[in-house]
């Protein structure tokens, strides 16, 4: 996820302080990984330097001065271009799991046990996500569906690989 573009898009609703941006980000996207304050302010500093935001006002308070940021026309253009650009699908061609299976075969360890263990971990996470989906709002349901579909694809791969272990063993140990 592009934190910079996300914060820029949140600014399109109107000027905000860094604290407000963090809160809005966390409410919409940070359920599992809230944004750190330092990341907000370093990102805003970079966006300011690049002319994508401007300081709309500075308020003195009991602590440090609070800057209110506003998106510039260049920032709006940048967000529009980012939103229009399709995300590159991840082909997962450098899978750590595949590497582990091959290394297990090469070192005489049980690749079948590795696959069984991984299957159990995937099923455990699927149960957690399914429970979260049942209790969540629409945003949570959609995020959980995305993760569940990927886990289902992984499970299909685990089953296919388990069925082909003997053939894979012969090929990698030549």
């Amino acid at each position: 996820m592009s934190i910079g573009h996300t914060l820029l898009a949140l600014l399109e609703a109107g000027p905000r302080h860094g604290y407000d941006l963090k809160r809005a980000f966390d409410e919409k996207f940070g359920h599992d990984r809230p944004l750190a304050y330092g990341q907000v302010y370093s990102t805003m500093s970079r966006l300011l330097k690049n002319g994508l935001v401007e300081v709309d006002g500075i308020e003195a308070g009991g602590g440090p001065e609070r800057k209110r940021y506003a998106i510039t026309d260049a920032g709006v253009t940048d967000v529009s271009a980012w939103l229009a650009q399709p995300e590159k699908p991840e082909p997962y061609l450098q899978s750590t799991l595949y590497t582990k299976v091959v290394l297990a075969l090469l070192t005489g360890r049980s690749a079948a046990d590795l696959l069984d263990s991984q299957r159990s971990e995937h099923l455990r996470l699927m149960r957690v996500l399914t429970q979260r989906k049942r209790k969540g709002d629409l945003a949570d349901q959609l995020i959980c569906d995305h993760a569940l579909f990927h886990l289902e694809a992984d499970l299909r791969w685990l089953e296919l690989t388990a069925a082909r272990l003997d053939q894979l063993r012969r090929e990698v140990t030549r």
Side-chain angles (χ1 to χ4, degrees):
M1 172 187 304
S2 171
I3 302 300
H5 287 111
T6 304
L7 295 177
L8 278 174
L10 290 172
L11 281 173
E12 284 198 44
R16 297 184 189 201
H17 297 96
Y19 173 84
D20 297 325
L21 285 168
K22 179 201 175 343
R23 190 177 61 225
F25 180 96
D26 289 351
E27 286 174 5
K28 301 284 187 213
F29 313 108
H31 293 142
D32 294 320
R33 195 176 300 176
L35 200 55
Y37 283 106
Q39 190 170 10
V40 171
Y41 294 109
S42 65
T43 301
M44 295 312 295
S45 177
R46 182 177 43 79
L47 295 172
L48 185 62
K49 183 177 123 188
N50 292 336
L52 301 176
V53 298
E54 61 191 9
V55 175
D56 187 57
I58 298 177
E59 299 170 8
E65 293 180 333
R66 292 179 33 151
K67 292 179 185 175
R68 188 175 53 246
Y69 298 96
I71 192 168
T72 63
D73 289 341
V76 171
T77 300
D78 197 58
V79 169
S80 293
W82 178 69
L83 289 173
Q85 182 69 38
E87 286 297 306
K88 180 182 175 189
E90 293 294 330
Y92 301 106
L93 294 177
Q94 293 298 321
S95 167
T96 302
L97 185 53
Y98 172 76
T99 301
K100 285 183 169 187
V101 169
V102 170
L103 290 173
L105 293 171
L106 288 173
T107 60
R109 292 178 173 88
S110 174
D113 288 349
L114 185 153
L115 292 170
D116 286 343
S117 174
Q118 191 63 52
R119 184 181 305 103
S120 294
E121 184 59 20
H122 271 62
L123 292 171
R124 183 199 64 75
L125 182 54
M126 290 176 84
R127 285 189 296 274
V128 169
L129 289 170
T130 300
Q131 185 64 21
R132 175 177 165 181
K133 181 180 162 181
R134 282 189 194 116
K135 294 179 180 178
D137 59 11
L138 180 58
D140 231 18
Q141 292 170 14
L142 290 170
I143 290 291
C144 289
D145 279 339
H146 187 262
L148 286 164
F149 293 149
H150 282 276
L151 290 168
E152 287 173 5
D154 286 350
L155 283 174
R156 287 193 306 268
W157 182 86
L158 291 167
E159 294 299 323
L160 179 66
T161 303
R164 294 179 170 174
L165 271 181
D166 289 336
Q167 180 184 354
L168 183 59
R169 180 180 292 106
R170 286 190 301 274
E171 287 189 20
V172 299
T173 57
R174 283 185 198 176

